[in-house]
Amino acid sequence: MNVAIEELSKVEIITKEAKVAELTKEFGRFGITGMTIMDALGCGVQLGTQEYEAEKNTSPQLLTKQVVMVVLPSKEVDGFLKFVEKALYTGHIGDGKIFVSPVTNAIRVRTGEEGMDALVEGDLD
């Protein structure tokens, strides 16, 4: 049986730990009820150089970050990205990166629900 599945996108946000609580408390206004947050180490094009350092690192210096992953309807991604960019922006090195990718399906293992049905509150039986 082919069920029409709403197009979904995965948004992965890599940012400083200090920004995550401020960012995620507003997710509900986009209908996001679930998220995954992971601790990470990494660096960007500055190789971990802090903005105040005089010389650029020549080898990577891994900095602590957090990755916030959410899945939402593709049609809502543009508005969500504008919100995230505004929430994270300081104008300084290390504001973060956002990656968006398509999701072909989501399945709630317990019930077998697919697509958006797997992401929103369903039957609690």
Side-chain angles (χ1 to χ4, degrees), residues 16-89:
K16 298 174 185 174
E17 184 177 0
K19 287 286 197 171
V20 171
E22 172 186 334
L23 177 69
T24 57
K25 75 178 183 179
E26 298 293 327
F27 279 9
R29 72 185 212 193
F30 294 94
I32 295 170
T33 58
M35 68 192 81
T36 300
I37 300 176
M38 300 164 275
D39 292 325
L41 295 174
C43 63
V45 295
Q46 297 87 12
L47 298 175
T49 300
Q50 300 294 324
E51 195 164 14
Y52 55 83
E53 293 176 355
E55 294 182 25
K56 184 176 178 182
N57 288 335
T58 56
S59 60
Q61 302 296 312
L62 300 179
L63 304 173
T64 58
K65 300 285 184 176
Q66 286 197 311
V67 180
V68 180
M69 184 192 74
V70 297
V71 176
L72 67 158
S74 296
K75 65 185 177 196
E76 296 176 19
V77 168
D78 288 341
F80 181 68
L81 293 178
K82 287 178 185 167
F83 157 75
V84 171
E85 288 179 77
K86 184 177 178 183
L88 296 181
Y89 179 80

